[in-house]
Amino acid sequence: MIIFTLFFMLFGLMAMGVPVAFSLGLSSVTVIVLFGSESLASLAGHLFSAMEHYTLMAIPFFILASSFLSKGGSAQRLVDFAIASIGWIKGGLPMASVLACMMFAAVSGSSPATVIAIGSIVIAGMVKEGYPQSYAAGVISSAGTMGILIPPSIVMVVYAAATEVSVGRMFLAGVIPGLIIGSMMMIAIYFTARIKGYPSVTFKGFKHLIKAFTGASGGLFLVVIIMGGIYGGIFTPTEAAAVAAVYAFILGVFVYKDIKIKEISTVIKDSAKTSIMLMFIIANAMLFAFVLTNERIPHEIAETIIAFGLPVWGFLLIVNLVLLIAGNFMEPSAVLLIMAPILFPIAIELGIDPIHLGIIMVVNMEIGMLTPPVGLNLFVTSSITGMPLIEVIKSTLPWLLLMMVFLMMITFIPQISTYLPTLLMGPEIVGG
């Protein structure tokens, strides 16, 4: 009865057009009032205590760092370096766009931010060089999803907070998958370019390549600061996010000088709005997760599924199906905070590595960024190109098929996700 009421209200409110955050909060409050032993006075305490999670403090800092990088010229310099590196290959411009997305993902942690920063630069350039606009839009929408897979990733931070696994392990686990999907996209672009006769740009020599690398090195050094600082034991992931924000501020304002002093307040306000919106969703999602845990719903679901004798591969297929559906209708962080408490105990019982489960969930959320009605990358790409949303959706379909193949690889070859964390940090200790 409790499970039915909780999920019926959640999906019922969403179907009525109520925003996801309010749907999560209202359904949680209703169940607490009707069935729980908690008082209404304690709800505010649960709501605010959910936001006191130390790991979640990293999110506003990563968003702020991303804002300074997006407006501070780093994206343009990364694009220039990517084009100088591989733009001369057949289909080099879209391949360079994918590489630029990978590099920007490694410093921003956000998928929509990656699409905006890189797409606003390269889509027009691809069209100018003779590529169809729909093709350019499809490449950038899809490549931008790597913003939540290649570390640092805001979505990984959310998963780590929901399951108490190591943020550092999650970041390491995203490195190899990120390189694989980026390589798969570039290989697909190369063969498509050869078949359709798409152009390449002229190689301008190693001197130009070195100059482009020097220009991009300021942004790329942020990767060294974040990853080196975390795994060198210098600071925690949350402290790394704060350092990243300060570094991005200095880089954009004093080094590249692309952000004027009077524009700083605008950048901070924009990132604050994004942070408040996301943190409000997370707060309500964590209240929803509290209700799930308090009513032992994940435990009951786990016992039921295990009693069915479901094999590991069968469970993982169900996980993918559920997450793909949920990703169509909800923001990634909300999906993870709702589903992780349910799936995590089942995965542990079945012997599935929690880091492997986390990467599976992140890749599903990548695909959710490209599927309507809530695919954020679709709306962002539509806004920066002026293309109708339906045309952007059509342009991403071939890439969705590629990502589904990638999802199957991630699901059934766990070593792709677990090799690097195990090699560098040892075996995972659940709850550590």
Side-chain angles (χ1 to χ4, degrees), residues 109-113 115 141-142 144-148 155 327-328 330-333 362-372 374-381 396 400 403:
S110 168
S111 180
V115 174
S141 295
S142 307
T145 63
M146 289 185 285
I148 63 173
V155 173
N328 287 341
M330 299 177 69
E331 197 274 334
S333 297
V362 171
V363 173
N364 274 284
M365 295 305 97
E366 276 193 279
I367 296 173
M369 292 282 190
L370 298 175
T371 52
V374 187
L376 293 178
N377 284 15
L378 301 176
F379 291 96
V380 172
T381 304
T396 62
L400 273 174
M403 294 188 72

Side-chain angles (χ1 to χ4, degrees), residues 145 194 229 241 254 279 282 344 363 401:
T145 63
R194 291 194 67 88
F254 299 109
M279 297 302 279
I282 290 174
F344 186 80
V363 173
L401 293 176

Side-chain angles (χ1 to χ4, degrees), residues 402-423:
L402 184 70
M403 294 188 72
M404 291 298 292
V405 172
F406 174 63
L407 175 61
M408 291 300 101
M409 292 172 57
I410 292 297
T411 300
F412 297 112
I413 310 176
Q415 291 79 10
I416 295 175
S417 306
T418 60
Y419 174 75
L420 206 55
T422 303
L423 177 68

